[in-house]
Amino acid sequence: QVQLVESGGGLVQAGGSLRLSCAASGRTFSSYAMGWFRQAPGKEREFVGAIDWSGGFTLYADSVKGRFTISRDNAKNTVYLQMNSLKPEDTAVYYCAASTDYGRSVRYDYWGQGTQVTVSS
């Protein structure tokens, strides 16, 4: 069982930056690949990016590639989403999730409660 808690969301102007954190409970954090997803009002949840178990590999949605960076600190049981050059269309609730597999379309077994990111124009 893994519990995930996101933090770091807020209101930012277009072009600004935010860093989201996702803290995981339990001693098996390094056994999970981690993903970030987002859901805007009236839209389906979409994949943002993922990082493998050690942090050596990452992948991103085309819409955020070059602007967002995922990293993790297994000693702190935390995964991060650094978001730069934010756009109004990045406004959404952001979720972190844990999976035993690494990839874009794998099954994620555990989810956080989400944190709101709002980008003003």
Side-chain angles (χ1 to χ4, degrees):
Q1 188 82 9
V2 176
Q3 292 184 327
L4 304 172
V5 179
E6 301 96 337
S7 62
L11 174 64
V12 63
Q13 288 189 332
S17 298
L18 279 176
R19 188 178 80 156
L20 306 184
S21 299
C22 172
S25 65
R27 295 176 291 177
T28 60
F29 178 67
S30 60
S31 300
Y32 293 91
M34 300 297 295
W36 284 97
F37 294 78
R38 65 187 182 185
Q39 187 166 19
K43 295 187 177 181
E44 293 187 353
R45 184 174 62 198
E46 65 172 342
F47 173 82
V48 173
I51 188 166
D52 77 334
W53 306 267
S54 66
F57 292 94
T58 54
L59 55 91
Y60 300 94
D62 288 343
S63 58
V64 306
K65 198 174 296 182
R67 301 188 297 122
F68 290 11
T69 302
I70 299 173
S71 61
R72 67 188 295 162
D73 185 339
N74 286 344
K76 295 183 178 180
N77 281 11
T78 302
V79 62
Y80 305 97
L81 178 65
Q82 177 67 45
M83 305 184 294
N84 298 329
S85 302
L86 283 161
K87 305 174 181 179
E89 51 263 44
D90 294 319
T91 295
V93 177
Y94 283 71
Y95 300 89
C96 66
S99 173
T100 54
D101 296 316
Y102 168 66
R104 188 181 303 269
S105 302
V106 300
R107 186 185 74 185
Y108 286 84
D109 298 306
Y110 303 102
W111 293 82
Q113 84 289 348
T115 187
Q116 176 70 47
V117 172
T118 302
V119 184
S120 63
S121 57

